[in-house]
Amino acid sequence: GGDFWAHPWAEELADNEKGEDIDFEDVVAHFNAKREEEGLDLLEVGSSPLVILEGIVDNSALSGQPGMNKAQRIADGIQASSFLLSELTE
């Protein structure tokens, strides 16, 4: 439930070929690659967005819809947080 902000970067993450094997470093690398393409600063280790993101990754088994793989569940969790999504993509 709750609000959901679709974002192409998160949707691309959901399609990541690693699927169930994706980890925190893969997710950070995905967003940093997108940020670099857009001329944005890279995400800083230990910053609030990464702390929140790590929590979503660590708890990904508890979120998402049945039938989703880990990458899809993480993308779903990211898109459920307007704060996190804006911090990762702006």
Side-chain angles (χ1 to χ4, degrees):
D3 293 324
F4 189 84
W5 293 267
H7 191 284
W9 295 4
E11 290 174 358
E12 284 178 37
L13 179 69
D15 293 334
N16 190 292
E17 71 237 1
K18 290 196 172 184
E20 209 50 57
D21 297 321
I22 199 165
D23 62 22
F24 176 65
E25 285 74 24
D26 296 326
V27 177
V28 174
H30 168 79
F31 281 101
N32 273 337
K34 292 291 178 189
R35 292 177 69 82
E36 203 164 29
E37 286 172 18
E38 296 291 322
L40 300 170
D41 292 335
L42 299 185
L43 298 164
E44 289 185 33
V45 176
S47 64
S48 294
L50 290 191
V51 171
I52 296 167
L53 182 61
E54 191 164 21
I56 289 174
V57 174
D58 289 347
N59 294 298
S60 62
L62 307 175
S63 64
Q65 305 300 315
M68 284 183 162
N69 69 37
K70 186 176 178 184
Q72 292 166 330
R73 292 191 308 269
I74 292 167
D76 194 57
I78 290 167
Q79 292 176 117
S81 168
S82 60
F83 167 77
L84 180 60
L85 192 58
S86 69
E87 288 291 311
L88 293 174
T89 61
E90 294 174 5

